[in-house]
């Protein structure tokens, strides 16, 4: 009887060891599969963030171009000797100046990454740079553009209503006195 109990005890320990090994193998396979899913998610979310950044860049370049046009038009007005040709161009130059551009950054991919956990981005430096861009730089740019819009609303709208005969935003401004 004692011999059978010892054999049964050894058999039970062997079974327990096999079950534990099976569980450890299953956990390893599960961890491996999760890691594959995480890398696929990382790749997909980084591609989406990249696409958003490219669109944001194009929008900001257009805003910069409009700003440069405004500065050039301001210089033309200030340097003008008011020939007939220049008077005809004035309404377009004024249109370049009397404008603002809104900027709404595309943050959807970053927000998804944030909700899943930014630590899924394996490159620590890239994770830091992306976070700094969306959490700091974008807020600063949006605030600056909001300040310009506020100035436009508070200062320019009154002047436009008072001093213009005709106004079409982004196209022309015809002043009363010319």
């Amino acid at each position: 009887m004692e011999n059978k109990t010892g054999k049964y005890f050894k058999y039970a320990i062997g079974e327990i060891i096999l079950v534990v090994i099976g569980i450890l193998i299953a956990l390893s396979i599960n961890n491996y599969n999760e890691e594959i899913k995480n890398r696929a998610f990382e790749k997909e979310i980084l591609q989406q963030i990249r696409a958003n950044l490219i669109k944001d860049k194009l929008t900001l370049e257009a805003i910069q171009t409009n700003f440069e046009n405004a500065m050039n038009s301001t210089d033309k007005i200030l340097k003008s000797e008011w020939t007939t040709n220049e008077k005809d161009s004035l309404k377009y130059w004024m249109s370049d100046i009397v404008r603002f551009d809104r900027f709404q950054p595309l943050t959807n991919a970053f927000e998804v990454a944030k909700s899943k956990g930014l630590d899924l981005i394996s490159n620590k430096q890239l994770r830091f740079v992306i976070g700094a861009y969306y959490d700091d730089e974008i807020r600063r740019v949006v605030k600056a553009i909001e300040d310009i819009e506020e100035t436009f609303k508070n200062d320019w709208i009154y002047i436009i209503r008072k001093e213009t005969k005709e106004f079409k935003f982004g196209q022309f401004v015809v002043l009363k006195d010319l």
Side-chain angles (χ1 to χ4, degrees):
M1 189 70 153
E2 209 176 283
N3 195 11
K4 285 184 180 182
T5 305
K7 284 183 181 182
Y8 180 74
F9 187 67
K10 287 179 185 178
Y11 176 77
I13 289 176
E15 285 292 319
I16 291 171
I17 290 172
L18 285 177
V19 168
V20 169
I21 290 172
I23 291 171
L24 290 174
I25 290 171
L27 284 173
S28 294
I29 291 170
N30 187 47
N31 288 343
Y32 177 74
N33 288 338
E34 281 299 313
E35 187 62 27
I36 289 172
K37 287 179 190 176
N38 287 343
R39 291 311 119 226
F41 172 78
E42 176 185 22
K43 183 178 180 180
E44 176 66 26
I45 205 69
L46 288 175
Q47 288 172 341
Q48 290 176 11
I49 288 172
R50 183 178 188 273
N52 286 352
L53 290 171
I54 289 169
K55 288 178 183 174
D56 283 353
K57 179 183 179 211
L58 293 173
T59 301
L60 288 169
E61 285 173 347
I63 290 171
Q64 180 180 3
T65 298
N66 290 338
F67 175 75
E68 288 169 358
N69 289 342
M71 295 303 292
N72 290 335
S73 291
T74 300
D75 287 342
K76 288 175 187 175
I77 290 171
L78 293 174
K79 293 176 182 175
S80 179
E81 294 178 13
W82 301 108
T83 64
T84 304
N85 249 4
E86 289 172 330
K87 283 185 182 181
D88 290 340
S89 298
L90 178 63
K91 68 181 181 180
Y92 303 111
W93 296 340
M94 287 297 296
S95 176
D96 287 342
I97 297 168
V98 181
R99 69 174 300 139
F100 67 90
D101 294 289
R102 289 187 171 104
F103 174 62
Q104 184 60 49
L106 299 171
T107 62
N108 55 342
F110 175 71
E111 293 302 326
V112 168
K114 225 163 77 168
S115 71
K116 296 274 187 176
L118 287 178
D119 58 328
L120 287 175
I121 298 174
S122 57
N123 184 317
K124 290 179 184 178
Q125 184 177 4
L126 180 60
R127 184 171 55 228
F128 174 78
V129 169
I130 290 171
Y133 172 76
Y134 282 104
D135 290 337
D136 299 328
E137 292 300 317
I138 283 296
R139 285 192 179 127
R140 186 181 56 77
V141 170
V142 168
K143 178 67 177 133
I145 292 173
E146 285 172 352
D147 290 346
I148 292 168
E149 182 177 357
E150 194 63 29
T151 299
F152 183 83
K153 288 178 189 175
N154 292 337
D155 300 332
W156 281 100
I157 295 291
Y158 171 77
I159 294 169
I160 290 169
R161 287 186 179 140
K162 184 178 175 197
E163 301 296 332
T164 62
K165 284 193 286 190
E166 198 175 351
F167 173 70
K168 184 145 183 156
F169 189 81
Q171 294 184 12
F172 61 85
V173 176
V174 179
L175 299 173
K176 288 181 181 176
D177 290 341
L178 291 177

